[in-house]
Amino acid sequence: MFHKYLFKDKHIVLDINSGAVHVIDKIVFDILDIYEGDNKNEVFSVLSNEYSKDEISEAISELDYLKSQGLLFSDDVYISNKAKDPVVKAICLHVAHDCNMNCKYCFGSQGSFEGIRELMSLDTGIAAIDFLIKNSGKRRNLEVDFFGGEPLMNFDVIKEIVSYGRKVEMNNNKKIRFTITTNGILLDDEKINYINDNMENVILSIDGRLEVNDKMRRTWNDKGTYELIINNYEKFINKRNDGLYYIRGTFTKENLDFSEDVKHLINKGFKNVSIEPVVVKDHEDYAIKIEHLDAILNEYEKLSDLYINNAKNNQMFDFFHFNIDLEQGPCVFKRISGCGAGTEYMAVAPNGDLYPCHQFVGNNGLKIGSVYDVDYSNELYDIFNNAHIYNKEKCRTCWAKFYCSGGCHANAYHMNGNMLEPYEIGCEMEKKRIECAIGIKAVLSK
Amino acid sequence: MKHIKTISKSSLNITNGKGCGECQTSCQSACKTSCTVANQKCENNDK
Ligand code: SF4
Ligand code: SF4
């Protein structure tokens, strides 16, 4: 399987099964409408009015060479449904099911996840770390993300959990990476210093321009939040040095021109930006619908222009979805299995209950167990382990499958009621982002 | 080659048997709602 497209002035073809990427000229691009590796004569008869026989022959011989090298028309040889070892390597700790903001689009019901507002106790945090270590098998690199609600509402417990983690990782020959997501309200000097010393990645939420942010991200007494957080974030990144962070926003129908928000954030001095589409049902007035798609795809084009321009002027920024690594990317097993929700990644509710991921927290039908279980076994393992690209009909035939890995199970489940049926609008955006990410590499390659 | 410039050869590295699993989980990052796996790094230094 291959996928070809035009990006700016570049004709690009991706060989899906090998992962090879080629920039081709117009004649090869046209030939690939017809050529399947063994039907030269058909190509000659269809294109003889446009190109000379010699040109066509020359181009086809180059295509044949790629084929002989396994870089075009390569076979899909990966189909494997082997169960992996059921180990857990990452957890998302919902340390606070409470929030000091009241964002309109919050999937966590303003922090409570449709349950009661509560904070995780230190006991539960410790039990979660023990659970992770105990169930991580031979994996050395483990991840613990502090999430909420707003995790900084339970800052003292976070600090204790990190100290505990540092102690037990050594004894168990593990390395825990701590990360945190915050809305920025409580980011004072003490917390900034602590986070910079202890967290390997930090996600700072803000949607972009003041009016865009303040439309959705509101305080409980219905005021905007931009002015409350922007200085905190600026202070934070000034002290972050080389540490990884992302400024992360959500776009909705209300800001379909979200490339302006990325621009705004970059102009503020933030270097790593991620803007994600809101995923909600159509009845919400800010929902992204199919008719918004053209505008959104066009925004990704604009973002690509911005990215290329800045790169050429040595003012690189990092847009999360344009980060595709064509050389050292993940192995094919990872690409087949995707995010790991419900198998190697789980979310822990404040009371210690385990769910397949942060977006399933509170869904009792999908509760896996508890970090307090003495005999933990994951009854949902097979369901999630089997929710991979070869078992999702749409993904199997999709050119983007090895980049996207089958999309977000939670989006599929919430939008289509079926984890195996990807959320279509999300697919179109994902495919566009991948085209742009690879296209950018092609434009910038020497 | 005159018509084709390859900018990346095979990037779907096939490890023997299974993946080593040392890589980061993909949603533990800036996306947290839309999964892109291809932008992750492989952490297996023995390859
Ligand atoms: S873009 Fe959609 S159909 Fe394609 S692999 Fe991703 S989830 Fe599957
Ligand atoms: S199911 Fe979706 S939200 Fe959950 S971990 Fe996977 S990609 Fe992330």
Side-chain angles (χ1 to χ4, degrees):
Chain A
M1 184 194 298
F2 65 82
H3 173 66
K4 67 184 180 79
Y5 64 103
L6 185 63
F7 179 81
K8 312 298 162 195
D9 62 344
K10 301 274 183 213
H11 295 90
I12 296 171
V13 61
L14 315 175
D15 185 51
I16 301 312
N17 294 322
S18 68
V21 179
H22 315 283
V23 177
I24 55 182
D25 62 7
K26 176 80 167 54
I27 174 168
V28 174
F29 194 79
D30 290 343
I31 289 173
L32 281 174
D33 281 332
I34 306 150
Y35 194 50
E36 289 167 352
D38 53 8
N39 53 337
K40 272 187 206 172
N41 290 340
E42 201 183 335
V43 179
F44 285 123
S45 69
V46 178
L47 293 178
S48 59
N49 289 338
E50 281 173 70
Y51 302 106
S52 75
K53 201 165 175 204
D54 284 352
E55 277 178 312
I56 297 176
S57 288
E58 189 179 59
I60 287 185
S61 68
E62 291 188 14
L63 288 171
D64 287 345
Y65 175 74
L66 292 185
K67 185 180 172 193
S68 72
Q69 300 297 301
L71 300 174
L72 194 64
F73 305 121
S74 62
D75 293 328
D76 187 343
V77 290
Y78 309 123
I79 296 187
S80 143
N81 196 9
K82 247 187 264 171
K84 290 187 283 182
D85 315 329
V87 299
V88 180
K89 65 182 197 188
I91 51 174
C92 176
L93 292 185
H94 290 228
V95 286
H97 269 189
D98 199 352
C99 196
N100 45 13
M101 278 198 197
N102 183 19
C103 304
K104 285 194 199 158
Y105 49 46
C106 182
F107 69 82
S109 312
Q110 283 68 33
S112 70
F113 286 77
E114 289 174 14
I116 44 169
R117 299 188 175 274
E118 66 179 320
L119 300 181
M120 182 178 281
S121 68
L122 178 58
D123 281 351
T124 301
I126 286 176
I129 299 286
D130 288 342
F131 167 84
L132 175 64
I133 298 230
K134 185 172 163 205
N135 291 290
S136 58
K138 294 199 185 106
R139 297 295 187 277
R140 187 171 135 73
N141 292 320
L142 307 178
E143 291 153 68
V144 175
D145 187 40
F146 294 105
F147 202 62
E150 169 50 37
L152 291 183
M153 291 177 81
N154 203 3
F155 183 57
D156 290 339
V157 166
I158 291 178
K159 288 195 291 191
E160 298 282 341
I161 295 174
V162 172
S163 311
Y164 182 75
R166 289 286 170 249
K167 211 165 62 196
V168 290
E169 68 179 355
M170 292 232 284
N171 304 339
N172 291 279
N173 191 27
K174 304 280 178 187
K175 168 87 184 69
I176 302 180
R177 286 179 177 143
F178 289 101
T179 58
I180 190 165
T181 300
T182 177
N183 65 22
I185 298 244
L186 296 173
L187 263 188
D188 56 17
D189 285 333
E190 183 205 352
K191 296 191 186 70
I192 289 176
N193 292 338
Y194 180 83
I195 288 173
N196 279 336
D197 288 344
N198 290 284
M199 304 282 165
E200 297 211 22
N201 193 5
V202 182
I203 311 299
L204 308 166
S205 306
I206 186 171
D207 287 349
R209 292 162 291 178
L210 181 144
E211 62 281 10
V212 169
N213 182 80
D214 285 359
K215 194 149 199 180
M216 303 305 278
R217 302 185 70 79
R218 314 277 305 163
T219 64
W220 283 97
N221 47 19
D222 208 21
K223 297 213 167 62
T225 56
Y226 183 95
E227 300 287 3
L228 296 174
I229 56 178
I230 192 75
N231 295 337
N232 295 350
Y233 288 167
E234 287 177 325
K235 210 191 278 174
F236 177 85
I237 59 155
N238 284 335
K239 289 186 163 184
R240 185 77 179 147
N241 297 325
D242 291 337
L244 184 60
Y245 72 88
Y246 269 95
I247 281 277
R248 192 243 190 246
T250 299
F251 71 86
T252 70
K253 183 200 127 190
E254 305 292 339
N255 61 320
L256 292 174
D257 59 345
F258 60 90
S259 69
E260 292 300 321
D261 294 294
V262 175
K263 229 185 260 172
H264 174 84
L265 294 167
I266 291 162
N267 290 340
K268 283 270 167 202
F270 302 115
K271 293 263 182 296
N272 310 315
V273 181
S274 171
I275 297 275
E276 295 290 323
V278 74
V279 180
V280 285
K281 291 250 160 77
D282 274 7
H283 61 81
E284 299 288 355
D285 54 7
Y286 54 85
I288 288 174
K289 300 183 187 159
I290 207 104
E291 61 261 32
H292 302 134
L293 212 44
D294 283 348
I296 292 169
L297 302 190
N298 194 35
E299 285 303 293
Y300 287 122
E301 288 275 344
K302 285 193 202 159
L303 273 180
S304 308
D305 291 337
L306 181 70
Y307 190 96
I308 291 167
N309 264 333
N310 283 28
K312 284 182 175 162
N313 296 319
N314 271 333
Q315 291 173 323
M316 287 294 287
F317 67 92
D318 183 344
F319 181 65
F320 183 75
H321 287 289
F322 289 171
N323 271 346
I324 285 187
D325 184 339
L326 294 176
E327 306 301 329
Q328 291 294 316
C331 67
V332 79
F333 297 95
K334 169 88 175 184
R335 292 174 191 258
I336 290 171
S337 51
C339 67
T343 56
E344 55 188 30
Y345 168 58
M346 277 168 213
V348 185
N351 64 1
D353 285 351
L354 288 163
Y355 294 90
C357 89
H358 52 285
Q359 290 225 44
F360 290 115
V361 167
N363 182 330
N364 285 331
L366 289 176
K367 193 175 125 179
I368 290 175
S370 159
V371 293
Y372 290 110
D373 289 349
V374 188
D375 303 310
Y376 155 81
S377 83
N378 179 357
E379 311 251 301
L380 299 179
Y381 187 86
D382 285 342
I383 296 178
F384 279 88
N385 194 43
N386 286 329
H388 58 66
I389 51 174
Y390 290 113
N391 286 334
K392 296 184 181 182
E393 208 185 317
K394 276 194 195 141
C395 304
R396 221 180 302 141
T397 52
C398 172
W399 66 263
K401 62 187 171 204
F402 291 127
Y403 300 96
C404 154
S405 300
C408 166
H409 305 317
N411 288 353
Y413 179 88
H414 291 130
M415 300 303 279
N416 296 329
N418 177 358
M419 272 194 345
L420 299 180
E421 199 188 323
Y423 162 56
E424 216 180 316
I425 299 180
C427 291
E428 293 312 310
M429 292 190 266
E430 174 69 354
K431 286 189 276 189
K432 184 67 181 183
R433 291 190 296 248
I434 295 165
E435 284 189 351
C436 292
I438 296 173
I440 288 169
K441 298 250 184 250
V443 171
L444 294 177
S445 77
K446 301 255 154 51
Chain B
M1 287 201 282
K2 203 172 126 194
H3 301 272
I4 301 173
K5 186 175 132 202
T6 297
I7 61 167
S8 165
K9 292 197 171 159
S10 181
S11 66
L12 259 59
N13 48 66
I14 308 170
T15 44
N16 284 339
K18 296 179 182 187
C20 73
E22 291 296 345
C23 49
Q24 253 173 297
T25 45
S26 30
C27 205
Q28 289 292 78
S29 45
C31 55
K32 275 247 164 187
T33 47
S34 65
C35 178
T36 301
V37 163
N39 59 9
Q40 294 217 296
K41 291 243 175 297
C42 170
E43 306 215 8
N44 185 342
N45 301 320
D46 307 331
K47 270 192 326 217

